[in-house]
Amino acid sequence: KLISMLIIGGLVLSACSAHKSPTTAILEHNQKKVNQTIVEIPKWYKKLPKEDDVIFTAGAATAPDLQLSVDLATMNAKYVLADRINGKLDAMMKSFVTRLGTDDDINATTLTEVEKVAKNVIASVDVAGYYPDKTVVHASGAQYTAYVLLRYSDIEAQKIIINRIKKDQMVYSKLKSKKAWIELEKEVDKKLEIEEAQSLSNI
């Protein structure tokens, strides 16, 4: 009897080990998906590219619909982009105000008005003008995982500054003949010409 019980017990234990519990199976499945996702992450997502006068941001999202996954990934990247543009605009406006301060005929009132415009620019960050540089989509079970890399140039940030100041007619009328303002507009025009030439050569 004892031998029979030991044999039966061994068979029961082996049967239990052969059939995994539902919880264990789910955990192993999820772990497999995570490992697969890590392998599929693009290199540019782990380490953003670096380029002069360009801001890069990346976003990722998983959704049951292909386009939705790309849209959500783009939206996530834009959140980060807005924060980085904020810092870029802040630095540009401080530099511009400093350059204006060197003009002998710029008074304190004008500088104060420009600083107010600067604060308004920073407060309402405009992420329009970004370019989707790379998009990668992988299958994630029954869903799609999208990775998006956004590219945003300094030219767009400078255009925001110029356009916002032009909207304030009182400030613009005082600045349009100043050396620092003329230099800023020339710098933007020059970079736009370079970008257009590059686009034409690519075509």
Side-chain angles (χ1 to χ4, degrees):
K1 288 182 180 180
L2 181 59
I3 293 171
S4 299
M5 290 176 65
L6 289 172
I7 292 172
I8 293 170
L11 291 172
V12 171
L13 288 173
S14 62
C16 290
S17 62
H19 299 284
K20 298 173 184 176
S21 67
T23 304
T24 304
I26 292 171
L27 288 173
E28 289 184 356
H29 174 70
N30 290 340
Q31 184 64 48
K32 186 178 179 181
K33 284 179 62 178
V34 169
N35 292 335
Q36 181 183 356
T37 301
I38 291 173
V39 171
E40 292 173 345
I41 295 175
K43 291 181 179 179
W44 47 260
Y45 185 86
K46 299 176 184 177
K47 186 177 182 180
L48 292 175
K50 290 184 179 180
E51 191 175 320
D52 292 340
D53 302 328
V54 175
I55 302 172
F56 287 101
T57 60
T62 300
D65 179 76
L66 174 60
Q67 187 58 50
L68 180 59
S69 67
V70 175
D71 291 344
L72 291 175
T74 302
M75 184 177 64
N76 290 335
K78 284 171 69 176
Y79 285 145
V80 181
L81 181 62
D83 183 60
R84 293 190 178 180
I85 292 175
N86 191 316
K88 177 66 73 174
L89 287 173
D90 191 22
M92 283 182 173
M93 288 305 300
K94 285 178 181 177
S95 175
F96 179 61
V97 172
T98 301
R99 287 161 63 187
L100 279 174
T102 60
D103 289 353
D104 296 333
D105 55 347
I106 289 288
N107 56 39
T109 303
T110 303
L111 287 175
T112 301
E113 290 170 358
V114 174
E115 287 177 355
K116 286 181 180 178
V117 173
K119 289 178 181 178
N120 290 334
V121 170
I122 307 304
S124 54
V125 176
D126 188 355
V127 297
Y130 71 85
Y131 175 77
D133 194 68
K134 296 181 187 295
T135 302
V136 175
V137 180
H138 292 294
S140 180
Q143 301 194 80
Y144 301 91
T145 297
Y147 302 91
V148 174
L149 179 69
L150 300 185
R151 177 190 184 96
Y152 190 92
S153 70
D154 277 2
I155 298 173
E156 298 299 332
Q158 290 170 338
K159 281 165 62 179
I160 291 172
I161 293 172
I162 290 175
N163 292 335
R164 294 293 176 86
I165 290 178
K166 282 183 175 179
K167 284 182 180 179
D168 192 321
Q169 292 297 323
M170 182 174 64
V171 175
Y172 178 55
S173 63
K174 293 180 181 180
L175 294 182
K176 61 183 178 180
S177 62
K178 304 308 175 188
K179 183 180 177 182
W181 175 258
I182 294 171
E183 287 177 351
L184 178 62
E185 287 193 306
K186 283 183 177 179
E187 186 178 351
V188 172
D189 291 339
K190 183 179 178 181
K191 288 182 178 179
L192 284 172
E193 288 176 3
I194 293 172
E195 279 201 350
E196 287 175 2
Q198 288 176 344
S199 297
L200 288 173
S201 65
N202 291 335
I203 293 171

